[in-house]
Amino acid sequence: MAIRQFSVLVLGAGGVGKSALAVRFVRDTFLENYDPTIEERYRRRTTVDDETSLLDILDTAGADQFVSSNELSIRSSHGFVLVFSLTQEASLKEVDNLRKLLYRIKGSDNSIPIVVVATKLDLSNEREVQRSTIQALANRWAIPFYETSAKRDWHVTDVFEDLLRQMRKQCPAERTTKCASGCFLM
């Protein structure tokens, strides 16, 4: 069977750990120093449920710099990782704004592959966002939430595996042409 390729867009406010999350997943290393991202692209072949896929991950600038300039990236992406920091409650509001933007651009049905990721789980003494808040939003939005630590490599792979399963569901392997969600067989 051909390897399917999916494009993933990583979105969130500046400084929440988007790059650290992506780099931990792709290179299995932790970025110790914060260097604001303009845009980085990563690729990783990964096997989930005995099926290998290629993830093309676009790590974006902070949402405040992102705005409408990358609407094309949203339209062409198959799945989305919405990132906020457990140490910055305001970053959770930005995730809600991004979620609404995705629905406006991609359609408001709940079939858009999305995972919401809370970062910096290892900084428990600096935590501002409570688990109960996250659980309430997960239930209301009907979107999977993960609490992660790129530094400690806690639950990072779970995020991308969940998203990959959602994207595969949107584009079943039986289809040999471009799917409605835009995935291709390679």
Side-chain angles (χ1 to χ4, degrees):
M1 179 189 279
I3 293 176
R4 294 190 292 161
Q5 179 177 338
F6 297 95
S7 64
V8 174
L9 195 57
V10 180
L11 302 164
V16 296
K18 296 180 301 295
S19 297
L21 187 75
V23 169
R24 171 57 83 180
F25 177 69
V26 173
R27 298 186 187 147
D28 196 26
T29 59
F30 177 68
L31 295 177
E32 209 50 66
N33 299 318
Y34 174 62
D35 185 17
T37 301
I38 295 173
E39 187 175 280
E40 291 287 333
R41 189 170 298 277
Y42 304 99
R43 294 174 70 100
R44 178 175 165 184
R45 185 180 303 244
T46 188
T47 302
V48 176
D49 304 328
D50 297 321
E51 183 182 337
T52 301
S53 300
L54 183 64
L55 294 182
D56 185 19
I57 302 167
L58 182 61
D59 177 18
T60 62
D64 47 335
Q65 299 153 12
F66 183 79
V67 194
S68 62
S69 63
N70 283 339
E71 221 173 276
L72 181 61
S73 295
I74 291 173
R75 289 189 193 286
S76 63
S77 293
H78 307 117
F80 304 90
V81 179
L82 303 182
V83 183
F84 71 97
S85 171
L86 289 167
T87 65
Q88 295 175 292
E89 193 162 5
S91 66
L92 183 56
K93 174 102 174 99
E94 190 57 46
V95 162
D96 191 25
N97 294 337
L98 289 165
R99 182 186 64 86
K100 290 173 183 172
L101 177 67
L102 292 178
Y103 288 142
R104 184 177 57 76
I105 293 171
K106 300 283 276 187
S108 60
D109 66 353
N110 286 338
S111 64
I112 302 170
I114 300 174
V115 177
V116 177
V117 179
T119 59
K120 305 181 184 182
L121 180 58
D122 56 300
L123 301 177
S124 57
N125 58 335
E126 298 175 39
R127 186 176 183 132
E128 291 182 6
V129 181
Q130 299 308 312
R131 262 195 190 94
S132 58
T133 302
I134 294 170
Q135 189 58 53
L137 287 175
N139 293 338
R140 193 168 83 224
W141 294 350
I143 297 174
F145 272 69
Y146 288 89
E147 291 187 7
T148 66
S149 168
K151 185 173 190 172
R152 303 276 185 239
D153 196 16
W154 294 341
H155 311 292
V156 173
T157 301
D158 299 339
V159 167
F160 291 94
E161 288 181 355
D162 184 322
L163 187 63
L164 181 56
R165 286 183 182 105
Q166 289 182 52
M167 291 184 296
R168 285 179 181 163
K169 188 176 179 184
Q170 283 297 107
C171 185
E174 308 82 66
R175 297 187 188 171
T176 57
T177 59
K178 185 177 175 185
C179 297
S181 64
C183 58
F184 292 93
L185 289 176
M186 297 194 45

